Amino acid sequence: GSAWRWQQQAGTVAVHLDLQRVMLLRWEGESAGYWLCLERNTAAAQWNALRRAVYSRAIPDALQGPEPAAKT
């Protein structure tokens, strides 16, 4: 997505290492940054969804809504 939330704090996530079953992420929040080491074994059922979410990027135009109709 365009922004992530962790404990009500907006921020961004960047992948620094991806070993398929382990990921090292950097969370940059409004007031602090954190390193996160995530392992597939912790929540195997949600692992693929997490990986897709981390790598997906929002399309900025889609967040603004439809363009107004052009006047003719």
Side-chain angles (χ1 to χ4, degrees):
S2 63
W4 289 72
R5 291 209 171 274
W6 179 12
Q7 299 178 357
Q8 302 302 318
Q9 183 185 81
T12 59
V13 174
V15 178
H16 283 266
L17 180 65
D18 183 353
L19 300 175
Q20 301 297 315
R21 294 179 179 264
V22 176
M23 294 177 74
L24 179 63
L25 308 177
R26 177 71 181 175
W27 168 267
E28 289 293 336
E30 295 168 344
S31 61
Y34 303 94
W35 286 99
L36 305 168
C37 183
L38 307 177
E39 298 181 23
R40 182 180 185 272
N41 294 341
T42 304
Q46 291 84 22
W47 185 250
N48 287 335
L50 171 72
R51 288 178 51 79
R52 285 190 298 271
V54 166
Y55 280 109
S56 70
R57 296 289 180 247
I59 300 169
D61 295 338
L63 298 174
Q64 297 174 3
E67 291 284 325
K71 293 183 181 181
T72 55

